[in-house]
Amino acid sequence: QKEVEQDPGPLSVPEGAIVSLNCTYSNSAFQYFMWYRQYSRKGPELLMYTYSSGNKEDGRFTAQVDKSSKYISLFIRDSQPSDSATYLCAAKFGNEKLTFGTGTRLTIIP
Amino acid sequence: GAVVSQHPSRVICKSGTSVKIECRSLDFQATTMFWYRQFPKQSLMLMATSNEGSKATYEQGVEKDKFLINHASLTLSTLTVTSAHPEDSSFYICSARFQGYGELFFGEGSRLTVL
């Protein structure tokens, strides 16, 4: 079992819809949770960085962490074609290395 | 967010030659940098952790003599693919840690093609 599981998709939604991306993890020691967006042939771009459980909002993006169920979510409101990319969840504890999910390929249909 | 610059973005070389890729943190000092490899439609695979002033720590299965990593300053780490072969063709990405346990910021990636 991978430490971070993520549905690879692909996921297609119409423009303007709310997108929900999810990951589960198995290592209860994870404290820091991140979401990255990666466009084709580019490096990952950090979208959200959260510590422990709770919600964090930044513009159209909301990250949720539920440590009791080991569940990580990213919501995108008013989705745009420019949001089409691969979204990677990641987790770590302390100063350790990041553990990535496999990434979900998202397409927003105009 | 913090900026990490990677160079070159694309490189094509002949089999048997060596290729150096640079990773720079432009607006912060990074005591720790990471090197990843990514195959098409797959997630990032950590190759090694690079600490300034000390030897890199390689992940299991990564040949340290093949992938030489140097972290000579707080803003620069280099990855040298030695005696490159076609199977080394891949997308290589570096990242740098911002302050202690903080966020990891990634470079733009370097696409290596070995002919």
Side-chain angles (χ1 to χ4, degrees):
Chain A
Q1 181 191 11
K2 292 183 180 179
E3 283 194 292
V4 179
E5 298 272 4
Q6 184 175 8
D7 186 341
L11 177 64
S12 296
V13 300
E15 183 176 354
I18 296 175
V19 176
S20 173
L21 301 167
N22 307 292
C23 291
T24 59
Y25 64 94
S26 57
N27 190 340
S28 58
F30 286 148
Q31 301 168 294
Y32 302 90
F33 305 91
M34 283 137 277
W35 284 95
Y36 288 87
R37 177 176 62 195
Q38 187 177 22
Y39 292 112
S40 181
R41 302 183 180 186
K42 296 290 186 182
E45 172 193 6
L46 180 65
L47 283 178
M48 302 293 279
Y49 177 85
T50 55
Y51 172 72
S52 194
S53 285
N55 294 356
K56 186 173 183 177
E57 187 174 321
D58 184 1
R60 297 185 295 111
F61 298 91
T62 300
Q64 285 185 354
V65 176
D66 184 344
K67 291 196 74 179
S68 63
S69 59
K70 298 188 179 67
Y71 203 78
I72 315 165
S73 299
L74 178 70
F75 299 95
I76 307 174
R77 292 184 298 280
D78 187 25
S79 55
Q80 305 293 312
S82 59
D83 296 327
S84 299
T86 296
Y87 289 79
L88 297 150
C89 63
K92 71 180 181 85
F93 61 93
N95 216 23
E96 293 298 310
K97 62 186 180 183
L98 270 183
T99 300
F100 281 94
T102 52
T104 300
R105 182 179 294 182
L106 172 67
T107 301
I108 306 299
I109 304 166
Chain B
V3 178
V4 176
S5 173
Q6 199 170 331
H7 178 80
S9 58
R10 287 185 179 182
V11 57
I12 300 173
C13 69
K14 291 183 179 180
S15 186
T17 61
S18 294
V19 174
K20 181 185 284 188
I21 300 170
E22 293 186 347
C23 179
R24 294 180 185 274
S25 56
L26 296 185
D27 51 0
F28 66 101
Q29 294 184 329
T31 54
T32 305
M33 292 185 174
F34 302 86
W35 287 96
Y36 295 83
R37 184 173 181 176
Q38 187 175 34
F39 294 102
K41 298 183 182 180
Q42 293 189 26
S43 191
L44 288 77
M45 181 189 77
L46 180 66
M47 299 174 65
T49 302
S50 168
N51 292 296
E52 187 266 337
S54 63
K55 290 184 178 180
T57 302
Y58 290 82
E59 295 298 301
Q60 191 173 6
V62 178
E63 300 176 60
K64 58 182 66 177
D65 294 331
K66 173 77 170 174
F67 300 100
L68 299 179
I69 291 172
N70 183 276
H71 194 156
S73 77
L74 287 172
T75 59
L76 174 64
S77 177
T78 60
L79 168 68
T80 302
V81 183
T82 62
S83 186
H85 288 93
E87 58 266 29
D88 298 324
S89 299
S90 191
F91 193 52
Y92 293 89
I93 312 173
C94 71
S95 69
R97 175 177 285 149
F98 179 68
Q99 291 183 349
Y101 292 1
E103 299 96 318
L104 281 187
F105 294 95
F106 284 81
E108 286 285 308
S110 299
R111 183 162 301 281
L112 170 64
T113 302
V114 184
L115 301 176

